[in-house]
Amino acid sequence: MALGDCWKSLSWFYYQYILVTALYMLEPWERTVFNSLLISVAGMAVYTGYVFMPQHIMAILHYFEVVQ
């Protein structure tokens, strides 16, 4: 029964996502293109943050002399 509740909750969140972003007006192929672009942009942002944020944080810490 827990799997059914989890599926019901996920489908409710997906339905809310479709309503908030107004994707319900698009055709299925347009919705797929939009979701693909959204996932790829989010993935690139996470990757960029993972690669470059430690360098920037260390530069800030060196600037304020927190780390020698």
Side-chain angles (χ1 to χ4, degrees):
M1 194 63 182
L3 186 61
D5 292 338
C6 182
W7 182 258
K8 191 174 183 179
S9 177
L10 283 176
S11 64
W12 183 80
F13 281 123
Y14 180 69
Y15 182 67
Q16 291 295 316
Y17 163 70
I18 287 177
L19 286 177
V20 168
T21 57
L23 291 176
Y24 64 90
M25 295 185 291
L26 300 178
E27 293 184 16
W29 70 270
E30 294 171 324
R31 195 177 306 156
T32 303
V33 168
F34 177 81
N35 287 331
S36 302
L37 289 173
L38 182 65
I39 289 172
S40 62
V41 167
M44 286 187 284
V46 167
Y47 174 75
T48 302
Y50 177 75
V51 170
F52 295 111
M53 284 305 289
Q55 297 171 6
H56 292 297
I57 291 172
M58 288 306 293
I60 290 169
L61 292 176
H62 282 293
Y63 179 76
F64 290 112
E65 297 177 355
V66 176
V67 175
Q68 297 298 326

